[in-house]
Every structure is written in C-alpha cells, then in structure tokens.
Amino acid sequence: MPKDGHAERGEPSKPPVDRSAEEIAHPYRDWAKHPASAVEQPRPEPRSAATPVGEGRPKPRKWYSLYDKVYAPKNRQAAWERVKANGGAAGCDGQTVGHFAVHAEANLQALHEQWRTKQYRPRPVKRVEIPKAGGGKRPLGIPCVRDRIVQQAVLQVLQPIFEPLFSQRSHGFRPERGTRTALDIVDRAVQYGYEWVVDADIEKFFDTVDHARLNRELNRVLADGSVLRLIQAFLTSGVLVGGSEIAATEIGTPQGRPLSPLLANVYLHPLDQALEAEGFGLVRYADDFVIFTRTRERAEQALRVVRTTLQGLRLRLHPEKTRVVRLDAGFDFLGFHYFRDGQGRLQKKVSARSKRRFRDAIRQRTPRHAGQKRPQANRCTVARLKQNARVQRMIAEVNRFLRGWHGYFRSARTTYRDYLNDFDRFVRQRLRHAISGRYAKGRWNQILFIAAFDAIGLQCLAKQQRLSELGPLAPPTSGYPGGSRVR
C-alpha cells in the first residue's frame, strides 16, 4: 500500500515525498523553516565502567560486568537520595522513608553487603487500589524502602544503556522528554493536516506484561546474568494482598516501582520499531499512544500493524477504547481533548476525564464538617476570613493544587476566551459551601463575591491563563505541507 502523499504506481506525476513520520518524530524542529531536516537531541552516554561488546547503532550492544556498578557506593548513595526525595508510603514491612533515614548509614551498609554477596531478596510489594477517573480501581504496588533503593540503583545503571536505543516516538519517563514533548508533537500534527487518528488503549498493560517476552528483550542488550536475575526477582517477588496473603506474580509488572517505567519502554520498543518501519506518525507515552495519518486507509493499516505487533507481545487492545477517528470527532490524549468545532477551528481543551479529576481534587480540599457551626452572613467579612485559620489552610491547599494543575494545563489552545471561568466558578462555589457550612447560593454569592476571594488570596485560573496565553491552534502561514481539512 502506498504511503501517505505518494502517488500510485503508474501515475505520471509524483508529489513530494511525505515526511510525516519523520516530522512528527522531532519535537524541537521548526517545521515551516526546516521541513526535511532534523537534529537529534543529546542522549546520555552509558557508564564508561561497563564493558560493551560490538560497535555501531544498527545492532544493540551487549553489556557485561554491570552488577558491581549497581551496588557501587556512589550509585547506591545517589539511589538513596532519590528515594528519599520522592518520599512515598511504607511497603509491606511498615518502614517509612523517615524511619529508614534515622539509621540510613547502617541500613545502607547492611543492604550493600546483601547486594555484594548476592544474598539480597526483594520483599513482596504492598498492593493498594486508587480510583480511576473513568470508574473502577487502578492497582498500585508499593515496594519496601530497601527495594526501592535497589531498583533505583538498577535504573540508574540501565537507563543510560537503553536510552540511545529507544525510539524518538517514545516520550514517557525518559530524560529530556515527557508530556510536554509528546503534546507538542500532537499540536503540530493536528496543525499540519493529519486528519485521521488511531486512538488506542492497551488493555491492562502493566498487569499482563509477559515475563519471558520481557526477558528476551532485555537479553538483546544485557549479558550480565546477575543483573538479569535481580530484575527477575523483582518481577516475581509477589504481592501482599489484604495485609497477610501473598499472591504470586507470574505475569505483569506492578505500577509504582521505580524500575517499572523503564521495563515498560523496553517491552513496547518492538511496537515503536514496527510502526516506525512502516512510516507511521506515532506519539507514545508509556502505554498511552496515538498514531496520525492523512487518510483513513493509512490509519486502518496502522491499526492492523499495532494489533499484529501486540499479539506477538501477548497484549491486546481494549475493544471499547480503541478506534480510528477523524479529527472532527475529536480524541483524548494525556488529559487534553483535541477536536474541530462547528466552524472548523482546531481546539485543544481540558478533557472531560480531567475535569472530573479536577472537581474531585477540589472537593477533597474544601470539605464541610459534620456539626460545623454556621456563621452569620454579616460576619463573613474579608478581614475575618483572613484571620480564620481553617479558611486560610483551605485557601493555601487549593492554591497549591491550582498552581500545579495550571502548570500542566496552561498549554490548552482554544479560540474560546476565558474558558477556565467554569473551573474558577466551581472552586469559589465549593469554598462558599465550606465556609458557610451549607449549600451556599443566593445571598451567599453576594456576600462571598469574586473580589472577596481575590482579597483573601485565592488563585484565579482565568487570570493565570491570560498571562500565559498561547493562542489558538491554526495551520502555519508558510511552509505548510498540506491537509485539506485544516482551516
């Protein structure tokens, strides 16, 4: 099948070669000025102490003698500092990061000896479930602090080795990449005429990773049996369910482990390679990905490639969440909803799922207490609210959340002015409920009006957005490679 933009065989004329996959792959390029060239971003060099065998980029190197680099004092200390900075809950042994830190030197030395003599054995992870925005529960695995340190140390050695091998289409949990670079490419794709999108979802990815298949992918690069056995020990350490029962983990890699994101990228690397070989414009963040094409036929071809590749990886697409869709109908990616409105204008707004998460987070930070004494309306003045410790704590917590939330969603691109006003109204109404101790409406909207919340220090999302306005999504004025539907 001819690729997008290529003429059928036998036609007298041949349009310019479509560089869609190449262009989508590079987030830092000015497409209009440099439509055919690209500069790869710097990649971290592997540790010089390890011993590579073989040369050249076409075939992965084989790496030996890595185990001693994992438990080296400098690497071990850096791993502990990272775990300490990340914090987190206690694992199955009940030891918190703070408890470990009290006798950190002795604990690290004991761990080092177990490491060095290969007597170290990971403990089962503690399973917790967190609610998903779309309903249901998402299982997370919380390792013990000691296991987090070991996994972080392994990650610090392996990441520089695997990083140069990964595709530029992969953005999740990688140095110098992330949601920002992935979304930047999606913005460019919809601007540059990629009308059809494969909106895909891998069903229960982290729960269904096949250990044997993962080991084969690791063996392509790693030849140190001690490191491979250590990774296998993490995968099969078991899960503590209900505080007492230990369930075997013969398949999957629980989310929450420091090493899980790297293993996920290793496991899905064949998918990146398969789509790249066919010239498709893939943007992948961990197990969440979209594919851009200019025609429906190419999108359906991409979906067939995905299904075939995932079948070899013993994975499957979610039948209800995977579709081929035109940009007019819209699609969600990394918390945003991309679509074209009735007037043909491209829009990038906060997705419905992200809105629900926003409201749930605000509700958690603005509770009404049982038996709360209801204040008299005429006593809710700005001066009194500034002196009320409970109100000031709520304002501080809400502001902290709003700053982080806007730091991510400020990249929304829409022609609708002040579309964040609905979010601000919800925040103010929740604070009115919390302050008044009742479902506040009517006169309370006049008593606790917008200026009053401004005076007591509440952040306003609409004002922040006006200060960082990026402008609407629109096709470029020059160097535009095509796309009939983009207006």
Side-chain angles (χ1 to χ4, degrees):
M1 183 177 292
K3 296 182 180 180
D4 300 345
H6 287 226
E8 296 281 356
R9 184 171 297 177
E11 293 184 357
S13 61
K14 185 177 181 180
V17 175
D18 177 22
R19 300 183 184 274
S20 61
E22 177 190 359
E23 288 172 341
I24 291 179
H26 296 277
Y28 299 106
R29 184 194 309 167
D30 184 342
W31 287 14
K33 294 181 180 179
H34 306 286
S37 63
V39 178
E40 292 189 0
Q41 295 303 302
R43 290 167 170 164
E45 292 294 330
R47 294 174 178 267
S48 58
T51 307
V53 177
E55 295 180 355
R57 289 290 300 280
K59 293 183 64 176
R61 293 174 172 179
K62 275 283 190 177
W63 292 86
Y64 295 84
S65 305
L66 294 173
Y67 190 74
D68 60 323
K69 317 304 182 300
V70 172
Y71 69 78
K74 186 177 180 180
N75 188 55
R76 182 200 65 197
Q77 185 62 31
W80 159 236
E81 294 296 336
R82 185 63 181 268
V83 170
K84 182 169 61 173
N86 289 339
C92 66
D93 60 357
Q95 186 180 48
T96 65
V97 173
H99 292 153
F100 190 95
V102 173
H103 304 289
E105 191 60 36
N107 289 332
L108 289 174
Q109 187 58 39
L111 184 60
H112 174 85
E113 285 303 310
Q114 293 180 5
W115 230 333
R116 185 183 63 81
T117 58
K118 299 183 181 180
Q119 299 300 311
Y120 166 80
R121 300 291 183 272
R123 295 168 181 166
V125 298
K126 183 173 71 174
R127 172 169 290 177
V128 297
E129 294 184 335
I130 60 174
K132 298 172 63 174
K137 299 285 186 177
R138 183 191 306 278
L140 291 180
I142 304 178
C144 301
V145 176
R146 62 192 287 275
D147 296 338
R148 277 180 252 174
I149 296 171
V150 177
Q151 288 198 36
Q152 181 63 36
V154 174
L155 175 65
Q156 290 168 180
V157 172
L158 297 189
Q159 190 169 53
I161 293 173
F162 281 97
E163 182 62 26
L165 307 177
F166 289 150
S167 170
Q168 295 189 53
R169 291 152 174 77
S170 170
H171 298 263
F173 309 102
R174 296 181 58 190
E176 306 299 327
R177 290 172 179 265
T179 56
R180 181 182 63 82
T181 57
L183 290 168
D184 181 66
I185 298 173
V186 175
D187 290 355
R188 292 169 184 262
V190 299
Q191 287 177 286
Y192 278 77
Y194 295 91
E195 279 296 306
W196 290 92
V197 181
V198 178
D199 184 9
D201 182 85
I202 301 176
E203 188 173 18
K204 297 181 178 179
F205 168 70
F206 285 95
D207 296 334
T208 55
V209 169
D210 183 78
H211 293 176
R213 188 70 177 81
L214 175 59
N215 286 332
R216 283 198 295 271
E217 291 300 318
L218 292 170
N219 278 328
R220 296 181 192 276
V221 180
L222 304 180
D224 189 323
S226 296
V227 172
L228 291 170
R229 283 190 292 272
L230 183 58
I231 294 174
Q232 184 65 21
F234 286 130
L235 294 173
T236 58
S237 61
V239 175
L240 185 66
V241 181
S244 57
E245 181 182 356
I246 298 178
T249 50
E250 298 176 354
I251 193 171
T253 171
Q255 297 182 68
R257 292 172 167 174
L259 202 53
S260 292
L262 176 66
L263 298 180
N265 282 330
V266 170
Y267 199 81
L268 289 176
H269 184 56
L271 176 64
D272 301 340
Q273 291 178 308
L275 291 168
E276 187 173 355
E278 295 292 331
F280 292 113
L282 167 70
V283 183
R284 183 174 68 81
Y285 188 93
D287 60 329
D288 193 3
F289 65 94
V290 287
I291 305 169
F292 293 94
T293 67
R294 296 191 189 280
T295 65
R296 182 181 184 91
E297 291 73 20
R298 282 284 284 167
E300 291 175 345
Q301 180 187 359
L303 185 56
R304 288 194 293 270
V305 172
V306 170
R307 291 188 190 279
T308 301
T309 306
L310 291 185
Q311 185 177 5
L313 295 174
R314 299 187 179 182
L315 299 172
R316 65 190 296 262
L317 293 172
H318 197 295
E320 298 178 0
K321 297 181 181 180
T322 300
R323 57 182 184 149
V324 172
V325 62
R326 197 165 193 166
L327 184 54
D328 297 46
F331 66 95
D332 289 354
F333 187 62
L334 297 182
F336 288 93
H337 182 63
Y338 291 84
F339 67 103
R340 184 179 286 114
D341 64 16
Q343 299 182 35
R345 297 174 300 187
L346 294 168
Q347 309 290 343
K348 175 188 176 183
K349 301 180 68 177
V350 180
S351 69
R353 178 179 295 184
S354 297
K355 289 179 182 178
R356 290 194 295 269
R357 288 177 175 172
F358 175 89
R359 291 174 180 174
D360 289 342
I362 294 298
R363 288 189 184 100
Q364 292 174 4
R365 290 163 174 80
T366 56
R368 283 182 288 172
H369 299 301
Q372 178 180 339
K373 184 178 180 180
R374 297 181 177 181
Q376 298 179 12
N378 59 0
R379 297 178 66 86
C380 285
T381 63
V382 170
R384 288 180 178 274
L385 291 175
K386 285 184 175 180
Q387 296 175 0
N388 188 299
R390 173 173 169 266
V391 171
Q392 289 304 306
R393 281 196 302 269
M394 278 195 299
I395 293 291
E397 291 180 9
V398 168
N399 283 347
R400 190 179 303 112
F401 169 76
L402 292 180
R403 284 192 293 269
W405 188 89
H406 184 259
Y408 181 81
F409 286 103
R410 66 183 178 185
S411 64
R413 309 281 292 275
T414 177
T415 57
Y416 304 136
R417 297 291 299 175
D418 297 330
Y419 79 97
L420 289 178
N421 281 339
D422 288 343
F423 293 87
D424 286 326
R425 278 192 288 268
F426 181 80
V427 173
R428 290 192 294 266
Q429 194 62 26
R430 284 295 309 176
L431 285 169
R432 291 187 186 106
H433 297 343
I435 292 171
S436 65
R438 68 192 77 188
Y439 184 76
K441 59 181 181 178
R443 62 182 297 199
W444 283 100
N445 291 338
Q446 299 175 354
I447 297 169
L448 297 175
F449 51 97
I450 297 176
F453 285 114
D454 290 342
I456 62 177
L458 179 65
Q459 296 280 334
C460 176
L461 291 173
K463 289 181 180 178
Q464 294 182 55
Q465 187 67 10
R466 284 193 290 270
L467 295 175
S468 59
E469 191 64 60
L470 296 175
L473 286 171
T477 57
S478 63
Y480 174 50
S484 60
R485 290 286 298 170
V486 178
R487 299 176 173 90

